[in-house]
Amino acid sequence: MRIPLIAGNWKMYKTMGEATAFVKELLPLVSGVTGVEIVLAPPFPSLGPVAALTAGTNVGVASQNMHFAEEGAYTGEVSPGMVKDAGAAYAIIGHSERRQYFAETDDSVNRKVKAALASGLVPVMCLGETLSEREEGRTFEVVERQLRTGLAGIPASDSSRVIVAYEPVWAIGTGRTATPAQAQEVHAFLRGLLSELWGATAARSVRILYGGSVKPENIADLMGRNDIDGALVGGASLKADVFANIVKFQ
Ligand code: 13P
């Protein structure tokens, strides 16, 4: 049984004041929601404040990134232990914007996934093809490489603590959502690969989220598909009432 997970990735939006105001507005809107894990991923400065406000509620907290080292001379970076200490339970890793603008590679993603697990954080490992890769018919080849390299060396015993997020780059921030059928096709393919990697039972327990222009209008359709276990929401997670409507998709 995979519990659906809906996460709001705020990207580089919201000051601490805006973040705390959002949480105060969101909590009463979603307090009655059961059977869905709700997660917020604020920018680093707001991790602690958001974690403090959501402690003991049905809303969890994720970082949007982290370094793989536990400490060191890495100016500007934040370690897994620091993320955990701030109150986060999850870490988004390898988002396409990190890959595109900050030179993250499948190998650095793999190091980060391992570091997150070692620190007791649940990694939300992102992958997805670009528009040109899709148009060239390379979607499956690209996501297979990203999945296999990103999860290299991670044993099946850790599978229940790993979340995968499929985010086709062409659907991020464009208003152009993958159709539920397009997303399901890739999710099923990814679950097949997970089954090769970890066995069928473990693969069935891994949650695979979809991300890319998710909104209240399309969430139910996406969630209706067999292998879509939740969503990573960008733009539509910035307003509490809109995000609450996504969380309450059922
Ligand atoms: P949008 O929902 O704004 O398309 O962003 C998706 C995303 O990148 C979530 O991580």
Side-chain angles (χ1 to χ4, degrees), residues 9 11 95-97 167 171-175 211-214 232-236:
N9 172 14
K11 309 193 179 187
H95 190 280
S96 64
E97 287 149 16
E167 298 205 309
I172 296 178
T174 59
S213 300
V214 172
L232 199 45
V233 187

Side-chain angles (χ1 to χ4, degrees), residues 30-232:
V30 300
S31 62
V33 174
T34 54
V36 179
E37 242 171 277
I38 307 167
V39 174
L40 295 174
F44 282 129
S46 298
L47 268 187
V50 169
L53 278 174
T54 54
T57 72
N58 59 342
V59 176
V61 178
S63 67
Q64 298 176 12
N65 176 37
M66 44 160 249
H67 197 272
F68 44 74
E70 204 32 66
E71 58 182 13
Y74 299 110
T75 301
E77 291 292 318
V78 175
S79 78
M82 293 169 189
V83 166
K84 187 105 196 296
D85 181 58
Y90 310 79
I92 297 174
I93 291 173
H95 190 280
S96 64
E97 287 149 16
R98 302 288 320 163
R99 295 176 189 255
Q100 188 179 352
Y101 305 125
F102 302 98
E104 292 210 13
T105 63
D106 295 334
D107 287 318
S108 67
V109 168
N110 179 242
R111 293 180 77 169
K112 290 182 178 197
V113 170
K114 286 177 176 161
L117 289 167
S119 292
L121 290 164
V122 172
V124 180
M125 188 183 82
C126 303
L127 46 78
E129 81 286 3
T130 63
L131 182 58
S132 60
E133 288 164 343
R134 174 161 282 263
E135 286 174 346
E136 289 160 16
R138 296 175 52 219
T139 297
F140 294 108
E141 165 201 331
V142 169
V143 298
E144 175 164 4
R145 188 203 71 228
Q146 291 172 325
L147 188 86
R148 285 194 189 277
T149 313
L151 297 180
I154 293 160
S157 54
D158 276 334
S159 60
S160 61
R161 298 197 296 134
V162 171
I163 296 173
V164 174
Y166 169 58
E167 298 205 309
V169 179
W170 47 272
I172 296 178
T174 59
R176 188 177 160 185
T177 325
T179 64
Q182 279 175 321
Q184 166 60 25
E185 185 185 27
V186 177
H187 282 228
F189 174 72
L190 293 171
R191 200 174 306 286
L193 292 174
L194 291 170
S195 181
E196 284 178 26
L197 213 59
W198 288 331
T201 308
R204 268 198 297 275
S205 73
V206 177
R207 285 175 290 185
I208 307 177
L209 316 182
Y210 168 78
S213 300
V214 172
K215 35 189 185 269
E217 295 74 30
N218 58 26
I219 183 71
D221 256 7
L222 289 160
M223 294 302 292
R225 300 293 165 137
N226 279 351
D227 291 290
I228 301 181
D229 308 311
L232 199 45

